[in-house]
Amino acid sequence: NFARRFGGPSGALGGFMPDLLAKLMPPDVQGTFQTSKEFLYHLQRAVLVWPWLGLYVSSESFPEPFDALAIWVAMALGIFTLWLTLRQLPKDPRARIEQGMALEPFWSTEYAR
C-alpha cells in the first residue's frame, strides 16, 4: 500500500487506525463490528467504481486532453476540497486552545450545566 510505505508517521497511524478502533468495541459485539466494517468497505468499493468507469467509457472518444475525463473530475474534486479547507483556515481554533478557552461554548450550554 502506497500510503503505508510513503505516508510518513501519519501513514503508520492510518494503517493501525482500524485496529485501534476495533479495540474500543466490547468483545460481545466484536464480530458484528468486524463484519459490518468489511461489508461497508466492499459495498463502497462496488458502488463507487461505477461513476468513474462511466466517465472513463463515455470520454473515450473525446479529443486528447479530455479523453481522461475521470482524471479531470478527480482533479476538480481535489481542488474543491482544497478550497473548502482553505476557507476553514481563518476559523482555526489554535489560539482559543492555547488560551484554554476552546470549550467555553460547550460549558455554557444547558447540557454541560
Side-chain angles (χ1 to χ4, degrees), residues 52 55 68-79:
W52 298 108
L55 282 172
L69 188 59
I71 303 297
W72 288 103
V73 170
M75 286 188 342
L77 287 173
I79 290 170

Side-chain angles (χ1 to χ4, degrees), residues 74-96:
M75 286 188 342
L77 287 173
I79 290 170
F80 177 68
T81 305
L82 180 63
W83 174 73
L84 288 175
T85 303
L86 291 176
R87 269 189 50 195
Q88 292 300 319
L89 286 180
K91 300 174 186 171
D92 186 13
R94 180 181 2 163
R96 292 184 57 84

Side-chain angles (χ1 to χ4, degrees), residues 35-47:
T35 305
S36 62
K37 185 176 76 166
E38 289 294 317
F39 172 76
L40 289 175
Y41 173 72
H42 290 297
L43 179 70
Q44 163 238 299
R45 282 187 62 199
V47 170

